[in-house]
Amino acid sequence: MAEAIGLRTRKKFQARQTILNAAAKMFEAHGFANTSIALIMQAAGLGVGTFYNYFASKEEVLLTLARNLREEVEVEISAAGTVNQSSFELLERCCACTAKVIDENRFILPLFISAGEHSDKPEQIPRSLSPGFGEMFEEIITRGQLCGEFRADVPGNIISEMVHSIYQTTAFSKLNISFQENIRLKIKILLDGIRP
Amino acid sequence: MAEAIGLRTRKKFQARQTILNAAAKMFEAHGFANTSIALIMQAAGLGVGTFYNYFASKEEVLLTLARNLREEVEVEISAAGTVNQSSFELLERCCACTAKVIDENRFILPLFISAGEHSDKPEQIPRSLSPGFGEMFEEIITRGQLCGEFRADVPGNIISEMVHSIYQTTAFSKLNISFQENIRLKIKILLDGIRP
Amino acid sequence: MAEAIGLRTRKKFQARQTILNAAAKMFEAHGFANTSIALIMQAAGLGVGTFYNYFASKEEVLLTLARNLREEVEVEISAAGTVNQSSFELLERCCACTAKVIDENRFILPLFISAGEHSDKPEQIPRSLSPGFGEMFEEIITRGQLCGEFRADVPGNIISEMVHSIYQTTAFSKLNISFQENIRLKIKILLDGIRP
Amino acid sequence: MAEAIGLRTRKKFQARQTILNAAAKMFEAHGFANTSIALIMQAAGLGVGTFYNYFASKEEVLLTLARNLREEVEVEISAAGTVNQSSFELLERCCACTAKVIDENRFILPLFISAGEHSDKPEQIPRSLSPGFGEMFEEIITRGQLCGEFRADVPGNIISEMVHSIYQTTAFSKLNISFQENIRLKIKILLDGIRP
DNA sequence: TATGAATGAGGCTTCATTCAT
DNA sequence: GATGAATGAAGCCTCATTCAT
């Protein structure tokens, strides 16, 4: 009995995953707006109606994907020990970690920038991978400014926005250079630009 | 007769402008995706069918708006005398001019970032205000690098992309600071970051 | 030109009528809930999308049909001269007129009783052919009570409700007797029942 | 063993009752059409599939509820001794009893009037609480006519229909008067109206 | 018997596009 | 050239019903 329930539960979980994966693939291939729920479910090999057993809307799928991504970033970052480092080193490392995870889920960031546009219910989609995605950067930056490691004549949230902007737009880059390397170079410029 | 044709031409031109203005207003108010052609033409006070006498699609309207914007920027920049300036001064001034024009047409940049997502025909919408918007910056930057005024260990197109990214994402900024000032600060960091 | 506009306007009006007629027919044949918009438009020989050029919802169609019916009733009643009559005669005549019109649009009354149930937006559908349908009866009855022609130990609005109920339920009658005669007999009982 | 079966039978009966109660509650709260089977079973705290172990359709649930109601009415009426009464007294008492029971299950009458509209299978839902609900009244009335207690110039089934109509529409009444009192007044008028 | 995930038909609605006037 | 009614494809979503566990 317990086993039966376990099986059912496992299957249910699997279906959810299948849908998420299919959605990610379709979003990447066709964009968020051009991906219909029917298309997702077709890619998932499931009936259309099944979608609504797991999600209320396409937006919810996107949010879920984003939340998963954010968790991955956090895991990755906390895995890299971050003690006894200068704010420069810390920021650099965090940026590299973030770049790595995003690189593997490149499709999602662009989606997020624009998703607010699409939906009838724009309030449901935050402009960035919020909440809390940018806060990490802002914290590091603020601390660096307090320590005198970063210039203080520019507000920390402006710098943080700049970091953000680098990720968001680099995802679209057509330059013949790897995503992570691209990010690395831009962050290097930024770091040099915020020395006191 | 020539006058009659002129009148007609002018009238035709007027309708086109009316549509463009209405579209800009509606895009700004409701977003690109949520703006139907019917809505545009209603705002324009013209019949739906008339739209197709001037444009083939919503995408074309957007492109036209972007092209107009770019022209404005160019006019503005060339108005500011640009001789005998260091690359730093030149880049700073160009960025300020661009910020000013974009500030007055703020809605269009966000639209552009996301429009590719929306359309059935994404190939029709370039990712940025291309063609040629970024080239101006790239030219200045490359020249600066050749003169040894800018660091050369980072490719010029990467730097150019960074400039671009600043405009694109600042248009979304929720910080309590004016758009132009926000841009100015970020460009300042960038400029300091690309000193040799 | 004026003629062209006239033609267009006329055609538009015709389409609206066509839809109303088709809807009435389908409502009668299959009931309100079982009549899809697609079915109506198929019966009307028009495309589905055309429906929304004229009505926002099925409910609006129903309301329109009801409003038309009410107008017919009023025309019919005012056609019958109503001066110098006892309240008994007046009520009897009004009831007969109403019965006649309703008889020709029998399907609509049942629809109205139940339509509130159906809709997601029940507030949009009044329970009776309001506003003003019942008021006519209530006015006559109140006047009759004041003159002492009708019993006063029962509130007028109760009597009015009774009149209403007769119409509403007789529309469903399966008895082998004509609608108008059925109504006539019930009203006769009611009239005898409200003598002082 | 016999006990085990008894227990099982009782359990089965319990589930059925649970569903009926939940359905009644949901019908009352949301209306027949807006109540999905899933909603009923959720309110019942049972699985969706379980529904089909007891009922073939929502319509069958409604019919069952109606049949139960009718039985209640009969019990109530037979409880009130009905010997040696004039037809007037008898009809009055029966109407009062019926009103009392219906008052406690007010939701069901409106449902019934409209249920025929809703269903794909209208033939499955009779227009009134048939079969047999009205027969009781018809019998009393016919008897009263034969005895010369009621007027005979109006067919008995017409009068019976009138009684019916009073119940059906009073369930919707918005007047500021209790259901039972409302019914009592209307029946009083009717009784006065059918004196010979 | 109880379950509830899976299903797909079917309803509603929007909207780019056409075409007769 | 201007118009706007007509169109139908396409998307979203609900829900009765089935069936494997």
Side-chain angles (χ1 to χ4, degrees):
Chain A
M1 180 70 176
E3 208 176 31
I5 290 183
L7 181 63
R8 191 114 119 204
T9 311
R10 198 158 51 249
K11 266 202 176 165
K12 174 154 181 170
F13 185 75
Q14 258 179 25
R16 205 183 135 89
Q17 271 311 314
T18 306
I19 295 174
L20 280 173
N21 293 338
K25 213 174 293 180
M26 293 301 105
F27 287 166
E28 186 165 14
H30 308 109
F32 182 76
N34 299 327
T35 300
S36 69
I37 285 169
L39 183 60
I40 295 172
M41 297 312 282
Q42 187 183 315
L46 292 168
V48 197
T50 306
F51 179 88
Y52 294 93
N53 290 341
Y54 297 97
F55 303 98
S57 65
K58 246 185 354 178
E59 278 76 15
E60 194 182 315
V61 174
L62 187 57
L63 275 173
T64 305
L65 288 170
R67 232 175 279 128
N68 292 352
L69 181 63
R70 221 198 106 209
E71 272 166 32
E72 263 189 78
V73 171
E74 275 172 5
V75 166
E76 189 82 15
I77 283 176
S78 65
T82 56
V83 277
N84 275 334
Q85 300 181 336
S86 75
S87 291
F88 274 102
E89 286 168 333
L90 185 57
L91 187 52
E92 196 170 10
R93 181 161 313 193
C94 279
C95 287
C97 284
T98 305
K100 188 178 156 217
V101 176
I102 288 182
D103 194 15
E104 291 155 2
N105 299 272
R106 193 100 59 89
F107 71 98
I108 208 176
L109 213 37
L111 290 182
F112 246 80
I113 307 174
S114 56
E117 283 300 324
H118 297 282
S119 166
D120 300 348
K121 339 139 190 168
E123 71 284 0
Q124 291 181 11
I125 301 257
R127 275 290 176 198
S128 72
L129 296 174
S130 66
F133 213 138
E135 288 162 14
M136 179 182 59
F137 293 117
E138 196 150 348
E139 199 183 306
I140 298 175
I141 291 163
T142 308
R143 195 140 46 82
Q145 288 184 315
L146 290 176
C147 306
E149 292 182 89
F150 297 157
R151 73 195 296 171
D153 62 332
V154 173
N157 47 20
I158 293 274
I159 300 174
S160 174
E161 247 187 34
M162 242 182 119
V163 174
H164 232 109
S165 79
I166 288 171
Y167 286 109
Q168 291 187 336
T169 58
T170 301
F172 291 114
S173 176
K174 299 292 187 227
L175 298 184
N176 190 20
I177 183 173
S178 84
F179 178 79
Q180 295 188 44
E181 178 64 6
N182 189 325
I183 294 282
R184 197 184 63 79
L185 290 169
K186 287 174 182 162
I187 294 295
K188 201 206 296 191
I189 291 176
L190 182 133
L191 288 173
D192 288 339
I194 60 173
R195 289 182 202 280
Chain B
M1 182 69 176
E3 205 177 40
I5 290 182
L7 182 64
R8 194 185 290 174
T9 310
R10 199 160 353 115
K11 264 197 178 169
K12 172 158 178 165
F13 186 74
Q14 258 180 25
R16 207 182 133 89
Q17 266 312 313
T18 307
I19 295 174
L20 281 172
N21 293 339
K25 214 174 293 181
M26 292 302 104
F27 288 165
E28 184 165 15
H30 309 110
F32 183 75
N34 299 328
T35 301
S36 68
I37 286 171
L39 182 60
I40 294 171
M41 298 312 282
Q42 186 184 315
L46 292 169
V48 198
T50 307
F51 180 88
Y52 293 92
N53 292 335
Y54 298 98
F55 301 97
S57 64
K58 240 182 3 175
E59 280 75 17
E60 195 182 313
V61 173
L62 188 58
L63 275 172
T64 306
L65 286 171
R67 232 175 280 128
N68 292 353
L69 181 63
R70 219 199 108 210
E71 272 166 33
E72 259 190 83
V73 171
E74 277 171 2
V75 167
E76 188 84 14
I77 284 176
S78 66
T82 56
V83 277
N84 273 337
Q85 298 182 338
S86 75
S87 293
F88 274 102
E89 287 167 332
L90 184 57
L91 187 52
E92 196 170 11
R93 180 162 316 193
C94 280
C95 287
C97 286
T98 306
K100 187 178 156 217
V101 176
I102 288 182
D103 195 15
E104 290 155 2
N105 299 272
R106 192 101 59 90
F107 71 97
I108 208 175
L109 214 37
L111 290 181
F112 245 80
I113 306 174
S114 58
E117 283 302 322
H118 297 283
S119 168
D120 300 347
K121 339 139 187 164
E123 71 284 359
Q124 292 182 8
I125 299 260
R127 277 289 176 197
S128 72
L129 295 172
S130 68
F133 214 138
E135 287 161 13
M136 178 184 59
F137 293 116
E138 196 150 348
E139 200 182 304
I140 299 175
I141 289 163
T142 307
R143 194 140 47 82
Q145 287 183 316
L146 289 176
C147 306
E149 291 182 88
F150 297 158
R151 73 196 295 171
D153 62 332
V154 173
N157 47 18
I158 293 275
I159 300 174
S160 174
E161 248 186 33
M162 240 180 120
V163 174
H164 230 108
S165 78
I166 288 171
Y167 287 109
Q168 291 187 336
T169 59
T170 301
F172 290 114
S173 176
K174 301 291 184 227
L175 297 185
N176 191 21
I177 182 173
S178 83
F179 178 78
Q180 295 188 45
E181 176 65 5
N182 189 324
I183 294 282
R184 197 185 63 79
L185 289 169
K186 286 175 181 165
I187 294 295
K188 201 208 295 192
I189 290 176
L190 183 133
L191 288 173
D192 287 340
I194 61 173
R195 288 182 202 281
Chain C
M1 181 70 178
E3 206 177 31
I5 290 182
L7 182 61
R8 191 115 118 204
T9 310
R10 198 159 51 250
K11 266 201 176 166
K12 175 155 181 167
F13 185 75
Q14 256 177 26
R16 206 183 134 91
Q17 270 312 313
T18 306
I19 294 174
L20 280 173
N21 293 338
K25 213 174 293 181
M26 293 300 105
F27 287 165
E28 185 165 16
H30 309 110
F32 183 75
N34 299 327
T35 301
S36 69
I37 285 168
L39 182 61
I40 294 172
M41 296 313 281
Q42 188 183 316
L46 292 168
V48 197
T50 306
F51 180 88
Y52 294 93
N53 290 341
Y54 296 96
F55 302 97
S57 64
K58 247 185 352 178
E59 278 76 16
E60 194 182 315
V61 173
L62 186 57
L63 275 173
T64 305
L65 288 170
R67 231 174 282 128
N68 292 353
L69 180 63
R70 221 199 106 210
E71 272 167 32
E72 263 189 78
V73 171
E74 276 171 3
V75 167
E76 188 81 16
I77 282 176
S78 65
T82 55
V83 276
N84 274 336
Q85 299 181 336
S86 74
S87 292
F88 275 102
E89 286 167 334
L90 185 57
L91 187 52
E92 196 170 12
R93 180 163 314 195
C94 278
C95 287
C97 285
T98 305
K100 186 177 160 221
V101 176
I102 289 181
D103 194 16
E104 290 155 3
N105 300 272
R106 192 100 58 89
F107 70 97
I108 209 175
L109 213 39
L111 290 181
F112 246 81
I113 306 173
S114 57
E117 284 300 322
H118 298 282
S119 165
D120 301 348
K121 340 141 188 165
E123 71 284 1
Q124 292 181 10
I125 301 258
R127 276 287 176 200
S128 73
L129 295 173
S130 65
F133 214 138
E135 288 162 13
M136 179 184 59
F137 292 117
E138 197 149 348
E139 200 182 304
I140 299 176
I141 290 163
T142 307
R143 194 141 46 83
Q145 288 183 316
L146 290 176
C147 306
E149 292 182 88
F150 298 157
R151 73 196 293 171
D153 61 333
V154 172
N157 46 18
I158 293 273
I159 300 175
S160 174
E161 247 186 34
M162 241 180 119
V163 173
H164 232 108
S165 78
I166 288 171
Y167 286 109
Q168 291 187 335
T169 59
T170 301
F172 291 113
S173 176
K174 301 292 186 226
L175 297 185
N176 191 20
I177 182 173
S178 84
F179 177 80
Q180 295 188 45
E181 177 64 6
N182 189 326
I183 293 282
R184 197 185 62 79
L185 289 170
K186 287 174 182 163
I187 294 294
K188 201 206 296 190
I189 291 176
L190 183 133
L191 288 173
D192 287 339
I194 59 174
R195 290 182 202 282
Chain D
M1 183 69 177
E3 205 177 40
I5 290 183
L7 182 65
R8 194 184 289 173
T9 310
R10 201 164 347 118
K11 265 197 178 168
K12 173 156 177 167
F13 186 74
Q14 257 179 25
R16 210 183 131 87
Q17 265 313 311
T18 307
I19 295 173
L20 281 172
N21 292 339
K25 214 174 291 179
M26 292 302 104
F27 287 164
E28 184 165 15
H30 309 110
F32 183 75
N34 298 329
T35 300
S36 67
I37 285 170
L39 183 60
I40 294 172
M41 298 312 282
Q42 187 184 314
L46 292 169
V48 198
T50 307
F51 180 88
Y52 293 91
N53 292 335
Y54 297 99
F55 302 96
S57 66
K58 243 182 2 176
E59 280 75 17
E60 194 183 313
V61 173
L62 187 58
L63 274 174
T64 305
L65 286 170
R67 234 175 277 128
N68 291 352
L69 181 62
R70 219 199 108 211
E71 272 167 32
E72 260 190 81
V73 170
E74 277 172 1
V75 166
E76 188 84 14
I77 283 177
S78 65
T82 55
V83 276
N84 274 336
Q85 300 181 335
S86 75
S87 292
F88 275 102
E89 284 167 336
L90 184 57
L91 187 53
E92 195 170 12
R93 181 162 313 193
C94 281
C95 286
C97 286
T98 304
K100 188 178 157 219
V101 176
I102 289 182
D103 195 15
E104 289 156 3
N105 299 272
R106 191 101 58 92
F107 71 97
I108 208 175
L109 213 37
L111 290 181
F112 244 80
I113 305 173
S114 58
E117 283 302 321
H118 296 284
S119 167
D120 300 347
K121 336 140 188 165
E123 71 284 0
Q124 292 182 9
I125 300 258
R127 276 290 176 196
S128 72
L129 295 173
S130 67
F133 213 139
E135 288 162 13
M136 179 183 58
F137 293 116
E138 197 150 346
E139 201 183 304
I140 299 175
I141 291 164
T142 307
R143 196 141 45 85
Q145 288 184 315
L146 289 177
C147 305
E149 291 182 89
F150 297 157
R151 74 197 291 172
D153 61 333
V154 172
N157 46 19
I158 293 274
I159 300 174
S160 174
E161 247 186 35
M162 239 181 123
V163 174
H164 232 108
S165 79
I166 288 172
Y167 287 108
Q168 292 188 334
T169 58
T170 301
F172 290 113
S173 176
K174 300 290 186 230
L175 297 185
N176 191 20
I177 182 174
S178 83
F179 178 79
Q180 295 189 44
E181 177 65 6
N182 189 324
I183 294 282
R184 196 184 65 78
L185 288 169
K186 287 174 182 164
I187 294 294
K188 201 206 297 190
I189 291 176
L190 182 132
L191 288 173
D192 288 340
I194 60 174
R195 289 181 203 282

